[in-house]
């Protein structure tokens, strides 16, 4: 059986690099409390500058 990752690469118009980056965020060993977001990938996907994205995130979320 083919994996979802390979299926998406074959039968979708989604960029292969995006699919690889996205699936690299999670593995079967990932815990609910693990930090899995890669900031560099996020900047690339959103086509933003790092400083602008950081400001947006800091201003959008409150610390508990």
């Amino acid at each position: 059986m083919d994996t979802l990752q390979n299926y998406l690469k074959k039968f979708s118009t989604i960029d292969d690099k995006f699919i690889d980056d996205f699936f690299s965020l999670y593995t079967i060993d990932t815990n609910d409390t693990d930090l899995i977001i890669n900031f560099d990938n996020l900047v690339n996907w959103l086509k933003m500058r790092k400083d602008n994205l950081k400001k947006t995130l800091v201003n959008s979320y409150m610390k508990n």
Side-chain angles (χ1 to χ4, degrees):
M1 177 175 261
D2 218 0
T3 64
L4 176 59
Q5 189 173 356
N6 288 334
Y7 181 86
L8 289 172
K9 286 181 179 182
K10 287 179 188 174
F11 300 109
S12 76
T13 58
I14 301 169
D15 182 66
D16 286 355
K17 178 158 178 20
F18 176 83
I19 293 170
D20 290 337
D21 289 345
F22 184 82
F23 277 89
S24 73
L25 296 176
Y26 178 82
T27 66
I28 199 68
D29 299 324
T30 303
N31 295 321
D32 290 341
T33 58
D34 289 343
L35 180 63
I36 60 169
I37 301 299
N38 181 312
F39 191 74
D40 290 328
N41 285 348
L42 193 59
V43 166
N44 187 16
W45 297 342
L46 297 174
K47 298 188 182 339
M48 294 183 72
R49 288 180 25 171
K50 285 183 181 183
D51 59 334
N52 290 339
L53 182 56
K54 181 181 176 185
K55 276 189 237 178
T56 299
L57 292 171
V58 168
N59 292 330
S60 298
Y61 296 96
M62 297 182 336
K63 293 182 182 179
N64 289 332

